[in-house]
Amino acid sequence: MEKWYSIRMRASEGGPHEKGGRHISGAERIIKEKELEQIAANMIKRALTHSRGEPDFISLKVDKIEQEAVHIISPITIQKIDNKGQDETKAVLKKLLAPLPLKEEVLFFLYDWMIEDDQTRGAIIVDIHSGKRIDNQGLRGVRVSHFDWDKSFQEKWIQNKKDFHNERRLEAVALASKVAKAGTICELCCSDDPEYTTGYVTFQHTYVQIPNMKKKDVPRGGRVFLVDASTIDLDAYMNFLEKTPVLIGGSK
Ligand code: WAQ
Ligand code: MG
């Protein structure tokens, strides 16, 4: 039986994240033993060559995982919509998310927060009805972890998707697929990388790419997971997002 590992990298400048260091880069994979060395080297390279700056702290963690514990899930459906400029983004989001029980003032408050966030390392969990944050994780937020694509499944999946031969995008789709599977009603995402202005929202099991989510050259961004606080088991939800190994596609 093949051995599987979770491998995770995070890099920051001015000390480790938990001691106030500024986040530079992060990545993670679920891989087989024979891939470990190569992928560890790639992750270090990625940390050292990131557009957000030069890290002075890099953490690389490797954990063996039990094959039986791995959940296999399908990728979320992909869509793209037009958005001509950042001054139209709020109107685009409002129209797109109209089917949800989400008040305009809550949506706009969360959007404004997300595009300006330079503090929170993970995502915040917010009740879709009250608009209140419910995760109690402070600046750490909730870190979605232990997820990856099955590589041969991914090769087939991208064949008819010309815009998805892109590591960042593929990673975002995998994360969003796990987040949706956990019972999230809607996810809002904006990169904190200064040059990367395309964000996305997911709802009703669809990932909608939104150009001009923020203005260019802004090194801020964030993620929001909207849930129904009256029905969700918050501990189980967070445990699934942070700890349960999930592979997109493939088989055991
Ligand atoms: N779990 C939870 N939140 C995270 C995680 C994680 N593993 N990684 C990042 N975040 C939060 C954190 O607050 C970041 O500031 C924010 O999300 C953005 O992270 O189809 O690159 O890694 O072209 O900069 C979208 C692609 C890319 C859209 C998003 O996000 C497309 C991206 P980044
Ligand atoms: Mg980033």
Side-chain angles (χ1 to χ4, degrees):
M1 196 154 87
E2 264 183 311
K3 289 188 197 152
W4 291 72
Y5 291 85
S6 154
I7 177 167
R8 291 176 283 160
M9 177 279 287
R10 62 189 169 97
S12 53
E13 182 196 5
H17 299 84
E18 59 277 15
K19 295 201 172 134
R22 190 176 70 89
H23 177 70
I24 300 282
S25 170
E28 74 159 83
R29 300 282 312 276
I30 293 172
I31 53 176
K32 293 172 191 150
E33 187 174 28
K34 62 177 187 289
E35 302 171 294
L36 258 178
E37 274 182 60
Q38 177 73 50
I39 290 183
N42 289 351
M43 282 189 176
I44 302 278
K45 182 168 180 194
R46 178 164 160 169
L48 290 172
T49 56
H50 201 276
S51 65
R52 285 176 55 79
E54 190 182 318
D56 51 29
F57 171 86
I58 301 175
S59 154
L60 194 70
K61 270 194 195 158
V62 179
D63 299 294
K64 187 166 180 240
I65 51 180
E66 297 306 324
Q67 206 175 339
E68 307 78 60
V70 178
H71 290 223
I72 310 273
I73 69 168
S74 299
I76 198 161
T77 306
I78 305 298
Q79 256 182 40
K80 180 169 188 174
I81 55 165
D82 269 350
N83 179 25
K84 296 202 169 44
Q86 195 263 336
D87 46 352
E88 294 182 28
T89 307
K90 275 187 179 169
V92 166
L93 288 176
K94 185 183 160 189
K95 192 166 163 206
L96 185 67
L97 299 177
L100 300 182
L102 177 61
K103 292 192 205 89
E104 176 183 308
E105 72 213 54
V106 171
L107 172 64
F108 290 177
F109 172 81
L110 292 171
Y111 171 77
D112 288 335
W113 174 85
M114 175 179 76
I115 61 166
E116 286 301 330
D117 179 48
D118 58 358
Q119 303 280 313
T120 320
R121 302 193 291 280
I124 59 169
I125 304 176
V126 172
D127 175 36
I128 196 163
H129 298 294
S130 69
K132 296 225 160 61
R133 183 173 178 187
I134 58 171
D135 59 78
N136 292 318
Q137 295 296 302
L139 295 182
R140 177 183 177 275
V142 181
R143 298 283 312 172
V144 185
S145 180
H146 297 91
F147 64 93
D148 199 356
W149 288 87
D150 177 272
K151 285 301 157 205
S152 53
F153 179 89
Q154 185 191 69
E155 274 168 33
K156 285 182 224 124
W157 186 83
I158 58 175
Q159 268 171 14
N160 59 350
K161 296 187 182 63
K162 66 176 168 43
D163 291 341
F164 279 84
H165 297 256
N166 170 327
E167 203 178 334
R168 176 200 300 275
R169 211 158 253 177
L170 289 167
E171 215 170 271
V173 173
L175 185 150
S177 301
K178 185 178 189 191
V179 170
K181 187 71 184 177
T184 310
I185 300 170
C186 174
E187 176 184 355
L188 310 172
C189 171
C190 176
S191 176
D192 56 6
D193 299 15
E195 78 290 356
Y196 205 81
T197 58
T198 301
Y200 68 84
V201 302
T202 65
F203 69 112
Q204 297 172 342
H205 289 278
T206 307
Y207 172 107
V208 185
Q209 280 182 305
I210 305 191
N212 301 303
M213 184 66 103
K214 67 172 183 185
K215 292 206 169 83
K216 209 168 181 324
D217 299 326
V218 179
R220 298 183 285 280
R223 272 192 169 92
V224 181
F225 300 161
L226 289 157
V227 301
D228 183 345
S230 67
T231 57
I232 200 131
D233 176 341
L234 195 59
D235 287 342
Y237 175 74
M238 283 174 36
N239 193 63
F240 181 79
L241 291 176
E242 297 198 324
K243 309 230 169 81
T244 302
V246 164
L247 259 188
I248 315 297
S251 56
K252 288 194 211 176

